[in-house]
Amino acid sequence: MRILLLLLILGIQTLKAQNTDYQALLIPSSLTDGANSVVRHEHTKIDIPNIKELNTSYRKVVTILNKKGNSDAGVYTYYDNSEKIRKISANVYDKMGNKVKSFKKSDFIDVSAVSGFSLYEDSRILYLEYTPIDYPYTIEFSYESTSDNTAYIPFWYPVNDYRVSTQKNVFEVQYAPDVGLLEKQLNFEGYDIKVDHGDGYVRYEAENIGAIAQEELAPALRLWAPRLMVSPKKFYYEGYMGSNGEWNALGKWMYVNLLRERDELPEATVRKIQYMVKGIEDPIEKAKIIYDYVQKNTRYISIQEGIGGIQPISAKDVDGVKYGDCKGLTNYTKALLGAVGVPSNYVRVYAGPEYHADIDEDFPSFLGQSNHVILNIPQEGKDPIWLECTSQTMPFGFLGDFTDNRNVFEVSANGGRIIKTPSYSDGQNKKMVNAHYELSSSGILTGEVKRTSMGIDYDNIYSIEKEKKEDQHSYYKREWGHINGLEIESVQYGNDRGKVQFFEEIKVKADNYANKSGNRFFVAPNAFAQNTFVPKRYRERKLPFEIVRGFEEEATLNMTLPDGFDIEAMPRPVTMESEFGLYEVAYDMPDEKHITVRRRLLVKKGKYPKERYNEYRKFRQEVVKSDQAKLVLVRI
């Protein structure tokens, strides 16, 4: 009995000695259900004692529940000449909370964030490589840094990602009275978030946020999850004093301090481009020549937001090395245009194809709302022309899905303002198919398919022209995966960059297109315009859904029937119309040997509550069902 009591006391003492932050077994099931990882404790502390000093203290304890959660550990940080890492460390604990490994600064790998490119050699990353031997495990990561620049405070996201739950997340800022602070809360409703404000102090704390699974067509996480936007009212950046809070003044500050006098070019380059546009009066025609020159003579270097600074590399330096990030190449293009008398504006944007991320018009901030730079050319009485200066293939004046339809921050000598990039409407994102094919009496299909793609559909396909032949053929076999034994005999492409239209001509053959049963053939007359997308089914949908970009498909498909067969059954014509779009298909027989399929699908962009998801799913199901409808032929 005494031995049992002693063991019990020792067990209790051992349990007390272990920090509950590190014991995976003590995590409530409400936080582990559906999660790949659990943020046990995350604490970000920003201290701005004066306008020229910003200190960051960061600590994160995260329990990784399975292999999929390894990427949630996030054991890395960036630094450069302006931001110094004073301390950095990590500890790993097993599921019982026992420390199994410790890492100090010398254990972290220190590499250039943009290796091999001298213009960015000062941008570096410290990261830790760790391979777990068992799950769950817990990793504690912390660092302290200091910076001369006070322009940027990271926004707070208490929900780290999908399938990541949050036990506790604290964010606090201390700031000098003459610095001040701007704040904006978004999507806090329904979450346990405590807020404490004091004189020169603010603290936010979130607790017990369960994991959310990513659902198909759900809006981007940052659009619905809680987020705190925060920014100093006054700041210091790379030798210049500035202030947030008003877009026009902020734009003027950026133009004067970060852009002006960075447009100098070598005299030889100026003479060359001026000669290239000699005799051309139209500024847009000049701009097309300059844009083509940039595409053919430079290459893009991708640099993650948060490193490399916000000031572009000078145009002279880019001209010398022939590469740059989005800031450098945009500034370089702007400088070239200026040298031939074409004014243009530098524009900051939050880029990404998955959704349209607007810069918040009501929260003027130096950083935090953009990750990319593009250019526009103003036109009197017309919409500006937009240029993506990082692409070597994008048509002049076309943005594509990376920066379309969103609020952006335009910077010019006149100041800054929020404007919107072009939106490609449902009908502009269009694919037209015209096909002729015949079916032999042995069930072999041969023919030719012509397709024309426009708008975002152009953006999705035009790069295929540069791919290897075998990759092109593989693409079409996947695209028409419902066709058994499909072989691609030849492919030809046409790219009208002026009209932003891409053309495909594909000759095909399929030895087993017809499904045979006795003396009957079962054949889908719509061979090359089938839409196969059906949204995933959910028993209980949790999130709203969004059709980010609408599109339209039109097809005319001409099929020649085999000799020696009669039609036993024809697919029925279908017309469906709803708030989600329109679908219609009809079958004509100009004579007894030919069938013409005329098909149209229009899907409209829009945002919808979760309760409407099943209706949309049913609409797409019916489209797929109709597209796959069979023609029955019987041998005579």
Side-chain angles (χ1 to χ4, degrees):
M1 184 67 180
R2 288 182 179 177
I3 295 175
L4 182 61
L5 182 61
L6 180 61
L7 290 173
L8 182 60
I9 292 171
L10 288 173
I12 293 172
Q13 288 177 340
T14 302
L15 187 62
K16 286 182 177 179
Q18 291 175 328
N19 191 322
T20 56
D21 278 354
Y22 308 130
Q23 294 184 50
L25 299 179
L26 296 181
I27 303 174
S29 60
S30 59
L31 296 178
T32 58
D33 289 347
N36 294 326
S37 64
V38 180
V39 175
R40 312 295 296 281
H41 190 95
E42 186 171 8
H43 191 166
T44 305
K45 184 176 181 179
I46 308 293
D47 180 27
I48 311 176
N50 60 75
I51 201 167
K52 292 185 179 182
E53 182 181 352
L54 187 149
N55 302 308
T56 301
S57 175
Y58 178 79
R59 176 177 177 263
K60 181 178 180 180
V61 179
V62 56
T63 295
I64 309 301
L65 301 175
N66 53 52
K67 189 175 182 180
K68 291 180 180 178
N70 282 328
S71 60
D72 300 326
V75 188
Y76 66 89
T77 188
Y78 294 101
Y79 72 98
D80 54 27
N81 286 339
S82 298
E83 183 168 5
K84 312 296 183 185
I85 306 299
R86 296 189 303 199
K87 295 180 181 179
I88 188 167
S89 64
N91 297 305
V92 179
Y93 302 84
D94 65 17
K95 61 185 175 184
M96 299 302 297
N98 300 307
K99 186 187 294 187
V100 295
K101 201 163 182 64
S102 292
F103 301 92
K104 53 186 181 299
K105 187 174 183 179
S106 60
D107 297 317
F108 283 70
I109 299 170
D110 187 346
V111 298
S112 169
V114 197
S115 180
F117 298 96
S118 60
L119 293 185
Y120 305 99
E121 62 185 7
D122 294 331
S123 299
R124 303 191 66 81
I125 179 172
L126 273 173
Y127 71 95
L128 182 67
E129 284 187 347
Y130 175 72
T131 303
I133 57 175
D134 194 18
Y135 297 94
Y137 70 95
T138 297
I139 190 160
E140 176 189 28
F141 171 56
S142 63
Y143 69 86
E144 294 180 10
S145 67
T146 185
S147 176
D148 299 333
N149 295 326
T150 56
Y152 174 54
I153 300 175
F155 293 170
W156 182 55
Y157 298 89
V159 176
N160 280 222
D161 205 345
Y162 288 107
R163 293 199 177 276
V164 179
S165 59
T166 300
Q167 193 163 17
K168 188 173 184 178
N169 192 322
V170 177
F171 181 85
E172 57 182 322
V173 183
Q174 289 181 307
Y175 54 93
D178 59 331
V179 171
L181 200 69
L182 300 173
E183 298 173 62
K184 184 172 183 179
Q185 301 171 8
L186 294 167
N187 308 319
F188 273 32
E189 301 82 5
Y191 293 92
D192 183 8
I193 299 177
K194 300 180 180 67
V195 184
D196 179 23
H197 283 88
D199 187 18
Y201 173 78
V202 62
R203 186 179 190 273
Y204 286 78
E205 179 180 323
E207 289 187 308
N208 300 319
I209 302 176
I212 297 290
Q214 187 167 11
E215 295 177 331
E216 197 161 37
L217 301 177
L221 186 72
R222 67 174 268 158
L223 298 183
W224 61 263
R227 172 168 46 125
L228 172 68
M229 302 171 70
V230 59
S231 188
K233 288 183 180 178
K234 295 182 179 180
F235 62 81
Y236 173 84
Y237 185 81
E238 298 296 329
Y240 306 105
M241 299 289 188
S243 61
N244 289 303
E246 203 277 315
W247 286 117
N248 183 264
L250 184 59
K252 188 171 292 186
W253 181 92
M254 292 180 70
Y255 181 86
V256 170
N257 296 303
L258 303 183
L259 300 181
R260 194 173 61 178
E261 298 180 359
R262 311 225 23 114
D263 58 355
E264 182 184 349
L265 291 163
E267 283 299 322
T269 300
V270 173
R271 288 194 300 270
K272 180 196 295 185
I273 61 170
Q274 288 179 343
Y275 179 78
M276 289 167 56
V277 301
K278 187 177 180 180
I280 299 174
E281 298 295 330
D282 186 349
I284 303 307
E285 292 304 314
K286 288 182 181 180
K288 288 179 180 178
I289 292 172
I290 296 300
Y291 188 64
D292 183 66
Y293 174 81
V294 172
Q295 288 188 312
K296 289 178 178 177
N297 289 277
T298 63
R299 56 184 172 136
Y300 169 59
I301 304 301
S302 177
I303 299 182
Q304 184 165 330
E305 177 72 355
I307 59 174
I310 193 173
Q311 187 175 51
I313 299 297
S314 72
K316 186 175 183 179
D317 285 340
V318 174
D319 188 77
V321 297
K322 305 302 181 188
Y323 65 76
D325 67 350
C326 62
K327 301 184 297 294
L329 292 180
T330 299
N331 182 64
Y332 180 58
T333 308
K334 176 178 170 58
L336 292 172
L337 289 169
V340 297
V342 179
S344 60
N345 297 317
Y346 189 88
V347 180
R348 293 199 61 87
V349 55
Y350 195 98
E354 296 84 7
Y355 64 100
H356 303 126
D358 288 327
I359 290 178
D360 193 322
E361 192 167 7
D362 298 324
F363 193 81
S365 63
F366 182 69
L367 274 176
Q369 299 193 67
S370 57
N371 62 0
H372 189 57
V373 177
I374 55 179
L375 198 69
N376 75 28
I377 301 172
Q379 298 188 99
E380 189 173 351
K382 298 180 182 179
D383 292 334
I385 292 174
W386 294 88
L387 301 180
E388 174 53 73
C389 302
T390 63
S391 173
Q392 295 175 304
T393 57
M394 193 78 81
F396 179 85
F398 180 69
L399 288 182
D401 63 8
F402 198 52
T403 53
D404 67 318
N405 191 30
R406 64 201 75 190
N407 285 347
V408 296
F409 180 36
E410 179 190 80
V411 177
S412 72
N414 297 322
R417 61 174 183 157
I418 300 297
I419 58 175
K420 206 170 190 72
T421 55
S423 172
Y424 301 100
S425 66
D426 306 335
Q428 287 177 308
N429 305 323
K430 191 170 186 177
K431 182 175 290 181
M432 296 189 297
V433 179
N434 191 291
H436 292 80
Y437 42 95
E438 61 182 57
L439 188 68
S440 74
S441 57
S442 57
I444 299 173
L445 180 144
T446 56
E448 182 179 65
V449 183
K450 296 181 179 180
R451 299 199 302 193
T452 302
S453 299
M454 296 166 277
I456 301 302
D457 279 306
Y458 171 95
D459 197 22
N460 293 337
I461 189 64
Y462 80 95
S463 61
I464 195 174
E465 186 176 16
K466 304 296 183 182
E467 294 182 7
K468 296 178 182 178
K469 181 178 179 180
E470 55 266 32
D471 293 333
Q472 294 171 347
H473 288 197
S474 294
Y475 168 80
Y476 294 111
K477 288 180 180 181
R478 292 192 303 271
E479 175 90 353
W480 299 315
H482 58 280
I483 300 179
N484 295 325
L486 178 67
E487 293 298 329
I488 308 301
E489 297 192 322
S490 68
V491 180
Q492 289 186 324
Y493 297 115
N495 189 351
D496 189 333
R497 288 161 54 91
K499 293 182 179 179
V500 193
Q501 295 183 354
F502 189 75
F503 308 98
E504 304 159 88
E505 290 188 13
I506 311 108
K507 289 187 177 180
V508 297
K509 181 180 180 182
D511 288 339
N512 300 299
Y513 184 67
N515 292 323
K516 303 170 187 177
S517 178
N519 63 343
R520 287 178 173 80
F521 280 178
F522 296 85
V523 180
N526 176 1
F528 298 101
Q530 291 190 18
N531 193 299
T532 59
F533 174 69
V534 176
K536 186 177 178 180
R537 180 177 176 270
Y538 297 95
R539 260 183 206 178
E540 187 180 352
R541 178 85 184 190
K542 303 289 186 183
L543 298 172
F545 71 101
E546 180 179 9
I547 304 169
V548 176
R549 294 175 183 84
F551 63 90
E552 184 174 13
E553 299 172 349
E554 286 188 1
T556 301
L557 311 168
N558 300 284
M559 183 177 185
T560 301
L561 303 178
D563 293 330
F565 283 81
D566 275 346
I567 296 175
E568 186 176 71
M570 280 276 287
R572 63 181 181 86
V574 174
T575 299
M576 295 187 296
E577 189 168 6
S578 73
E579 64 179 310
F580 307 116
L582 168 71
Y583 174 81
E584 51 190 4
V585 62
Y587 304 89
D588 299 323
M589 288 195 67
D591 56 56
E592 61 182 13
K593 293 291 294 177
H594 297 89
I595 293 177
T596 298
V597 183
R598 303 186 192 279
R599 174 192 179 276
R600 180 180 177 228
L601 171 64
L602 173 68
V603 174
K604 300 177 182 178
K605 72 176 180 181
K607 298 178 182 179
Y608 305 92
K610 62 183 181 180
E611 291 78 14
R612 307 300 305 279
Y613 182 79
N614 286 336
E615 293 177 47
Y616 177 64
R617 185 173 183 274
K618 184 177 180 181
F619 173 73
R620 297 304 296 262
Q621 277 182 308
E622 291 299 319
V623 170
V624 172
K625 180 181 176 182
S626 178
D627 279 350
Q628 296 175 347
K630 295 294 192 292
L631 168 72
V632 182
L633 302 175
V634 60
R635 195 182 298 271
I636 55 177

